[in-house]
């Protein structure tokens, strides 16, 4: 700060920028000389400036644009000619008037004024000036403030340009722009519509194209088909032509064949007629032959007679010679007689005619005989009809017989059903009370057994024994009845296999006895397995039972093959039986031995017989008391019964 | 302990069978129905059985020949019913008829037992049935 305390030179002062702040302390030190110099300079300057101002003022005056100056209070201080013209008021009258008087929107003048004060300048500020004739004209103003040497605003300088033409151009432009926008919008909308239409048409076009492709393919295919058909047609035509020719050939052949046939038919008729004639002829010739034979015999006799006669004749010849001589003589006589003979010949011709007439009669006779033959044929037909009628009667009778068989079968079936119901009932109803008796005796013995005396216990045992006996009887009867009514399921049976499975448990059971089973190979049988098992079981059981008292038991089982049947047998060395009673052997409940010796129900062999009978076989037995028994049964074999064995 | 349903019409058979059950000390409660209809009523908890405890019996002992509805008819109904078809049914009958056996098994019977003549044998049979069907045999839960 201290080094600045010095006097500045004039240059230094002039060089000081306007508004440079000078400390008051400094001002007091330098002011006097500086001011004097400044004043002188300023006066000189002013002379120049006035001249310049005059010069500028002319520019100002003649400008086409408005120029005007306004004081800080808003009053007009100066205007140019353009401004005068714009408002239609002379310069003198305008100066000192408020600017806002000549403007349509005074608040805009206010705002512009404030902006100038604030910022020092305003550009493109639009104002409408009022003309005294009432018209308004748009002007665009640029304005700036000008300040005195102290920086205080002393006025505003404004320049305005008439923008009527510009505005019009702008309006036109806006109008054009609007029109254009409208037009663009319209075109755009149209374009969208057109685009949509176009898109739609494109799709349609695509569809059409696709359809066209399909149609083309179809067309191609049809063309090919057409070509194929045409080719086939040509072949078919050829075939047809060929067939037509063939047909014509066949027709021609047919005509020929027909003719041939007609000819053959005629020939056949002729042949038939000839055959009939030939047959008649043959018959006639046969008769003739017989006649000739008879005649031959007569002729032979005649010949013998003639030989005798010849001898006689020889003798007579001699006489005849003599006679000849005599006859020569006579010849003459005879000549005359010849005449007579000729007459005789004529007579014989007449006779021949008579014979012809007789032949006609004979033919008529033949025709009559033919008629007779026809009659006989008709009678034969009648006889045949009678026979047919009788045959029908026989058939009717057979049908009736069949009906009766069906009826009888139905009756038999119903009877069988009844029997079945009866046996079913037996198995259920009859056994139930027996079971109850057994049950209650058991309970009685169990709970009160100790209360009975020995005799009472015995009675109870006997009741139990009887119950068991009866149960066996019922079971046996049921088995017997079942063997007669159940359906047979026949198949090929291995008898050795059946027998072996049956004797195995017996061997195990009768281990204390010496039993030798001798099983020979047996042929196959055809029958129901279960039934055949029961047959063998009964027979084997009997053999084992009735050999019980032998020291050594021998049982032989085997078979003999005969012509149509096999005969199976089982032989034992047991007690045997009296052949006088053999007829009772196979009857239900018939026993040939005492029950105390050999137990049993007397149903077993009856069941066996029933089974064998149902299989179409026979059963019989041979025995002597004490010498064992042999049982035989026959079954049809394969040799004579191939069909049934299938 | 689960109930055994015993269906039989003959009072003597019933007494003997119950006696046999008692002999074997089978402790399951026994319900006796006199024919198929009564047995069905029990299964369905209807009629006189309307207030019984719910649940199926562990087995049914079934006679064949009975009035109103016989054993095979009852069997056919039970083995077709969704709720009852898994109940083991044992035919206990005096018939050894092949046709009865076939019909029984075709209808789905679980066992076929012929009533023996001998009471001691009956006790043994009942014992075997009881041990197998009421003790050994496993049933699906209802």
């Amino acid at each position: 700060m201290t080094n600045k305390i010095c006097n500045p030179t004039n240059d230094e002062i002039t060089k000081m920028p306007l508004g440079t702040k000078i400390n008051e302390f400094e001002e007091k030190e330098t002011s006097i000389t500086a001011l004097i110099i400044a004043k002188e300079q300023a006066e000189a300057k002013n002379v120049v400036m006035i001249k310049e101002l005059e010069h500028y003022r002319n520019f100002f005056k003649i400008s086409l644009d408005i120029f005007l100056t306004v004081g800080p209070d808003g009053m007009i201080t100066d205007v140019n000619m353009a401004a005068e013209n714009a408002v239609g008021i002379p310069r003198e009258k305008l100066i000192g008037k408020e600017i806002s008087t000549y403007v349509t929107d005074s608040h805009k003048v206010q705002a512009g004024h404030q902006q100038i004060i604030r910022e020092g300048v305003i550009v493109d500020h639009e104002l409408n000036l009022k003309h005294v004739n009432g018209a308004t004209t748009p002007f665009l103003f640029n304005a700036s403030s000008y300040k005195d040497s102290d920086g205080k605003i002393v006025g505003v300088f404004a320049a305005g340009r008439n923008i009527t033409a510009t505005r019009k151009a702008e309006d036109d432009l806006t109008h054009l722009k609007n029109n254009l926008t409208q037009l663009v919008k319209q075109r755009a909308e149209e374009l969208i519509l057109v685009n949509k239409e176009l898109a739609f048409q494109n799709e349609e076009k695509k569809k059409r194209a696709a359809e066209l492709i399909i149609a083309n393919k179809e067309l191609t295919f049809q063309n090919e088909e057409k070509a194929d058909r045409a080719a086939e047609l040509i072949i078919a035509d050829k075939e047809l032509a060929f067939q037509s020719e063939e047909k014509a050939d066949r027709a021609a052949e047919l005509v020929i064949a027909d003719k041939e046939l007609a000819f053959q038919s005629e020939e056949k008729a002729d042949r038939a007629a000839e055959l009939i004639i030939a047959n008649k002829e043959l018959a006639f010739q046969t008769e003739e032959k017989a006649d000739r034979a008879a005649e031959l015999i007569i002729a032979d006799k005649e010949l013998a007679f003639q030989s005798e006669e010849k001898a006689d004749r020889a003798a007579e010849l001699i006489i005849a010679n003599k006679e000849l001589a005599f006859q020569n003589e006579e010849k003459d006589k005879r000549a005359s007689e010849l005449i007579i003979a000729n007459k005789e010949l004529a007579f014989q011709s007449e006779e021949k005619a008579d014979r012809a007439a007789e032949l006609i009669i004979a033919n008529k006779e033949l025709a009559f005989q033919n008629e007779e033959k026809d009659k006989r044929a008709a009678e034969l037909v009648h006889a045949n009809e009678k026979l047919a009628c009788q045959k029908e009667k026989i058939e009717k009778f057979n049908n009736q017989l069949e009906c009766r068989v069906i009826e009888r079968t139905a009756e038999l079936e119903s009877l069988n059903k009844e029997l079945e119901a009866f046996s079913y009932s037996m198995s259920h109803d009859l056994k139930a009370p027996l079971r109850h008796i057994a049950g209650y005796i058991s309970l009685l013995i169990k709970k009160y057994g100790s209360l009975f005396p020995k005799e009472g216990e015995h009675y109870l045992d006997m009741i139990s024994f009887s119950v068991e006996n009866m149960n066996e009887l019922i079971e046996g009867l049921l088995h017997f009845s079942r063997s007669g009514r159940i359906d047979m399921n026949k198949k090929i049976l291995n008898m050795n296999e059946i027998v072996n499975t049956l004797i195995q448990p017996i061997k195990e059971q009768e281990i204390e006895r010496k039993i030798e089973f001798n099983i020979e190979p047996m042929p196959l049988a055809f029958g129901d397995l279960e039934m055949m098992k029961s047959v063998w079981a009964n027979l084997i059981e009997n053999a084992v039972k009735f050999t019980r008292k032998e020291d050594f038991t021998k049982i032989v089982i085997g078979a003999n093959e005969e012509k149509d049947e096999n005969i199976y047998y089982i032989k034992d060395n047991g007690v045997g039986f009296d052949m006088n009673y053999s007829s009772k052997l196979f009857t239900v409940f018939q026993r040939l031995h005492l029950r105390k010796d050999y137990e049993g129900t007397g149903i077993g062999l009856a069941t066996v017989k029933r089974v064998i009978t149902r299989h179409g076989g026979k059963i019989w037995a041979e025995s002597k008391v004490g010498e064992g028994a042999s049982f035989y049964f026959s079954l049809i074999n394969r040799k004579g019964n191939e069909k049934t064995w299938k | 302990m689960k109930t055994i349903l015993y269906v039989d019409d003959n009072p003597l058979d019933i007494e003997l069978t119950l006696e046999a059950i008692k002999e074997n000390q089978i402790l399951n409660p026994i319900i006796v129905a006199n024919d198929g209809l009564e047995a069905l009523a029990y299964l369905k908890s209807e009629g006189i059985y309307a207030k019984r405890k719910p649940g199926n019996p562990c087995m049914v002992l079934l006679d064949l020949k009975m009035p109103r509805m016989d054993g095979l008819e009852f069997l056919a109904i039970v083995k077709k019913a969704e709720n009852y078809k898994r109940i083991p049914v044992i035919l206990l009958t005096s018939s050894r008829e092949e046709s009865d056996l076939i019909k029984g098994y075709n209808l789905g019977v679980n066992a076929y037992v012929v009533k023996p003549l001998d009471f001691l044998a009956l006790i043994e049979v009942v014992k075997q049935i009881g041990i197998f069907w009421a003790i050994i045999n496993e049933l699906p839960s209802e």
Side-chain angles (χ1 to χ4, degrees):
Chain A
M1 190 62 84
T2 51
N3 63 350
K4 276 194 177 175
I5 306 169
C6 61
N7 289 328
T9 63
N10 280 346
D11 284 346
E12 279 174 326
I13 292 166
T14 52
K15 278 177 193 167
M16 276 172 73
L18 201 69
T20 303
K21 286 221 172 155
I22 299 166
N23 196 307
E24 281 197 28
F25 173 73
E26 284 173 325
E27 210 175 304
K28 277 176 187 165
E29 295 280 315
T30 61
S31 63
I32 298 162
T33 31
L35 277 172
I36 293 165
I37 295 162
K39 198 181 169 183
E40 282 171 357
Q41 282 175 345
E43 276 169 359
K45 262 182 189 174
N46 270 344
V47 176
V48 178
M49 270 176 72
I50 286 163
K51 274 185 183 167
E52 276 181 357
L53 267 170
E54 204 70 31
H55 182 68
Y56 283 121
R57 197 171 157 79
N58 281 330
F59 280 123
F60 178 80
K61 197 176 171 181
I62 61 160
S63 169
L64 284 173
D65 289 332
I66 290 174
F67 288 126
L68 64 96
T69 53
V70 180
D73 51 359
M75 299 298 179
I76 297 168
T77 52
D78 200 359
V79 296
N80 70 350
M81 276 166 69
E84 284 177 316
N85 293 335
V87 293
I89 295 167
R91 180 171 173 261
E92 299 78 40
K93 286 191 179 173
L94 281 173
I95 291 169
K97 298 279 169 46
E98 258 189 71
I99 181 77
S100 55
T101 316
Y102 307 102
V103 176
T104 52
D105 26 17
S106 54
H107 68 277
K108 266 178 106 177
V109 177
Q110 208 77 33
H113 193 242
Q114 278 170 8
Q115 193 183 337
I116 292 165
I117 288 167
R118 201 168 54 244
E119 296 170 14
V121 70
I122 190 170
V123 289
D124 292 341
H125 193 63
E126 197 182 319
L127 293 170
N128 287 317
L129 296 186
K130 289 193 273 188
H131 197 272
V132 284
N133 65 11
T136 57
T137 312
F139 279 83
L140 206 58
F141 283 91
N142 283 359
S144 67
S145 61
Y146 58 95
K147 298 169 183 174
D148 62 11
S149 53
D150 293 336
K152 189 183 167 194
I153 292 170
V154 287
V156 172
F157 179 75
R161 178 169 287 177
N162 186 339
I163 55 165
T164 310
T166 315
R167 174 59 43 85
K168 191 171 178 292
E170 268 176 15
D171 283 354
D172 287 353
L173 208 65
T174 307
H175 185 66
L176 271 170
K177 209 170 135 191
N178 284 346
N179 277 352
L180 206 66
T181 309
Q182 192 69 22
L183 220 63
V184 166
K185 209 174 148 192
Q186 266 178 25
R187 286 287 116 37
E189 277 170 6
E190 281 171 23
L191 214 62
I192 287 165
L193 277 176
V194 168
N195 275 340
K196 278 181 186 170
E197 178 71 11
L198 208 66
F200 173 72
Q201 283 177 3
N202 277 338
E203 273 174 26
E204 283 293 300
K205 223 156 103 186
K206 271 188 200 163
K207 281 183 192 165
R208 288 296 97 73
E211 282 171 20
L212 212 63
I213 288 165
I214 293 165
N216 276 338
K217 281 181 185 170
E218 178 72 10
L219 206 66
T220 309
F221 174 71
Q222 282 177 1
N223 280 338
E224 279 172 18
E225 283 289 298
K226 223 156 100 185
D228 289 359
R229 285 300 93 75
E232 283 172 21
L233 212 64
I234 289 163
I235 294 165
D237 278 352
K238 282 180 186 170
E239 179 74 8
L240 205 69
F242 174 72
Q243 283 177 1
S244 293
E245 278 172 22
E246 285 287 300
K247 222 155 104 186
D249 290 358
R250 288 295 93 75
E253 282 172 24
L254 211 66
V255 170
I256 294 165
D258 279 352
K259 282 177 186 172
E260 179 74 10
L261 204 69
F263 174 72
Q264 283 176 4
S265 294
E266 277 172 23
E267 284 290 298
K268 223 156 105 186
D270 290 357
R271 287 296 91 77
E274 282 172 23
L275 211 64
I276 290 163
I277 294 165
N279 278 337
K280 284 177 185 172
E281 180 73 11
L282 205 67
F284 174 72
Q285 282 175 4
T286 306
E287 277 173 22
E288 284 290 297
K289 225 158 106 186
D291 289 357
R292 288 297 95 72
E295 281 172 20
L296 213 62
I297 291 162
I298 296 163
D300 276 354
K301 283 179 184 167
E302 182 75 8
L303 205 66
F305 174 72
Q306 280 175 6
S307 290
E308 281 171 20
E309 284 290 296
K310 220 159 118 185
D312 291 355
R313 286 300 97 66
E316 279 173 19
L317 207 63
I318 296 161
I319 298 162
N321 277 336
K322 287 175 187 170
E323 184 76 8
L324 199 67
F326 170 74
Q327 277 177 357
N328 278 337
E329 286 167 16
E330 285 292 297
K331 214 163 137 185
D332 294 335
K333 287 179 192 170
R334 285 303 89 76
S336 58
E337 279 173 18
L338 202 65
I339 292 159
I340 297 162
N342 276 340
K343 283 178 187 170
E344 179 73 7
L345 201 68
F347 170 74
Q348 280 175 359
S349 289
E350 278 173 20
E351 282 293 298
K352 217 161 119 188
D354 289 357
R355 288 297 92 70
E358 282 172 21
L359 208 67
I360 287 162
I361 292 163
N363 276 338
K364 281 183 184 166
E365 177 72 9
L366 203 69
F368 171 74
Q369 281 175 2
N370 278 337
E371 273 174 23
E372 282 293 300
K373 218 159 109 189
D374 284 348
K375 277 185 194 166
R376 288 296 95 70
E379 280 171 21
L380 206 68
V381 169
H382 182 66
N384 276 338
E385 275 170 9
K386 259 189 180 170
L387 206 69
C389 181
Q390 278 172 3
K391 210 169 150 190
E392 215 172 82
K393 271 185 189 166
I394 290 171
E395 260 171 33
K396 221 172 173 182
F397 182 70
N398 275 341
N399 283 343
Q400 279 174 357
L401 208 66
E402 214 165 288
C403 280
R404 270 168 69 185
V405 167
I406 289 167
E407 271 172 33
R408 286 287 174 288
T409 310
E411 277 172 29
L412 208 65
E413 267 170 18
S414 117
L415 274 174
N416 271 340
K417 270 188 188 156
E418 259 175 51
L419 196 71
E420 206 169 321
F422 171 71
S423 337
Y424 183 83
S425 200
M426 277 229 314
S427 76
H428 196 272
D429 296 353
L430 226 54
K431 278 167 76 180
L434 209 58
R435 201 174 52 247
H436 299 154
I437 295 168
Y440 283 104
I441 288 171
S442 281
L443 275 178
L444 196 66
I445 293 170
K446 199 170 167 18
K447 290 191 176 174
Y448 308 106
S450 58
L451 300 179
F452 284 103
K454 247 207 159 131
E455 208 177 11
E457 272 178 32
H458 172 69
Y459 295 159
L460 285 174
D461 282 347
M462 286 303 104
I463 296 173
S464 297
F465 178 73
S466 296
V467 165
E468 254 166 51
N469 235 339
M470 179 143 182
N471 190 51
E472 259 176 45
L473 276 173
I474 291 172
E475 287 288 351
L477 266 181
L478 273 177
H479 192 241
F480 175 67
S481 118
R482 210 177 291 144
S483 69
R485 72 189 140 87
I486 62 164
D487 291 334
M488 289 198 290
N489 178 19
K490 281 189 177 181
K491 46 191 170 189
I492 294 171
L493 306 173
N494 184 336
M495 295 296 226
N496 280 83
E497 225 175 77
I498 294 174
V499 168
N500 283 330
T501 51
L502 288 169
I503 61 173
Q504 202 51 44
I506 294 171
K507 277 180 178 170
E508 284 162 20
Q509 242 174 40
E510 308 284 343
I511 200 151
E512 284 166 13
R513 284 179 58 188
K514 289 178 188 167
I515 305 178
E516 184 192 303
F517 281 101
N518 194 353
I519 318 285
E520 295 162 0
M522 289 181 276
L524 296 174
F526 187 65
D528 184 279
L529 176 65
E530 287 308 314
M531 288 189 175
M532 211 47 72
K533 260 189 195 169
S534 79
V535 166
W536 281 115
N538 263 297
L539 293 175
I540 293 169
E541 200 182 295
N542 278 351
V544 170
K545 193 201 291 179
F546 293 108
T547 52
R548 189 186 293 155
K549 291 179 179 171
E550 308 302 321
D551 295 332
F552 178 75
T553 297
K554 191 176 177 185
I555 295 170
V556 181
I557 295 174
N560 297 324
E561 279 188 75
E562 308 257 309
K563 193 180 164 216
D564 286 334
E565 54 188 17
N566 297 330
I567 297 180
Y568 299 88
Y569 53 81
I570 174 165
K571 299 173 177 178
D572 65 60
N573 60 342
V575 65
F577 59 87
D578 188 340
M579 281 296 277
N580 287 329
Y581 305 117
S582 66
S583 61
K584 289 185 174 179
L585 209 54
F586 301 103
T587 315
V588 187
F589 297 134
Q590 291 294 337
R591 299 168 46 83
L592 301 186
H593 298 277
L594 294 177
R595 202 183 290 272
K596 70 175 172 67
D597 294 332
Y598 300 101
E599 76 289 346
T601 57
I603 302 171
L605 280 179
T607 307
V608 168
K609 187 186 176 182
R610 185 172 264 198
V611 170
I612 297 300
T613 309
R614 281 194 78 188
H615 278 78
K618 281 180 187 161
I619 185 161
W620 65 96
E622 288 169 3
S623 178
K624 268 186 190 169
V625 177
E627 289 183 18
S630 301
F631 283 85
Y632 302 87
F633 65 89
S634 64
L635 290 174
I636 53 167
N637 68 14
R638 197 200 280 268
K639 279 180 214 159
N641 304 281
E642 291 292 346
K643 281 181 195 167
T644 45
W645 267 58
K646 271 172 193 169
Chain B
M1 212 173 251
K2 278 203 151 193
T3 307
I4 295 170
L5 177 59
Y6 173 38
V7 196
D8 202 334
D9 64 318
N10 190 314
L12 273 65
D13 269 321
I14 293 169
E15 189 182 343
L16 286 170
T17 306
L18 290 180
E19 195 70 40
I21 288 171
K22 207 164 85 188
E23 282 289 326
N24 283 309
Q25 295 174 338
I26 293 169
L27 301 173
N28 299 57
I30 315 278
I31 296 291
V32 179
N34 286 126
D35 62 13
L37 283 183
E38 247 186 73
L40 266 189
Y42 175 80
L43 289 182
K44 293 179 179 173
S45 302
E46 287 173 357
I48 54 166
Y49 300 109
K51 285 177 185 168
R52 78 165 175 97
K53 265 204 278 178
N56 284 338
C58 67
M59 67 161 141
V60 178
L61 282 175
L62 183 65
D63 187 25
L64 270 184
K65 221 177 142 193
M66 289 179 293
R68 298 203 296 175
M69 182 191 283
D70 68 25
L72 291 175
E73 286 174 280
F74 172 77
L75 182 65
I77 292 168
V78 166
K79 288 298 176 186
K80 269 185 208 153
E82 186 54 39
N83 294 340
Y84 312 131
K85 67 181 178 191
R86 285 177 288 275
I87 305 172
V89 179
I90 295 97
L91 272 171
L92 187 61
T93 168
S94 48
S95 166
R96 195 174 260 124
E97 279 283 316
E98 186 75 7
S99 62
D100 285 337
L101 271 153
I102 289 170
K103 280 178 202 159
Y105 276 106
N106 282 348
L107 290 173
V109 80
N110 299 78
Y112 191 107
V113 178
V114 177
K115 287 176 189 169
L117 180 73
D118 184 25
F119 182 66
L120 298 176
L122 179 70
I123 291 175
E124 187 57 28
V125 161
V126 169
K127 181 180 167 189
Q128 299 292 349
I129 292 173
I131 288 174
F132 184 78
W133 292 105
I135 298 168
I136 296 175
N137 188 45
E138 294 281 349
L139 282 175
S141 51
E142 276 170 46

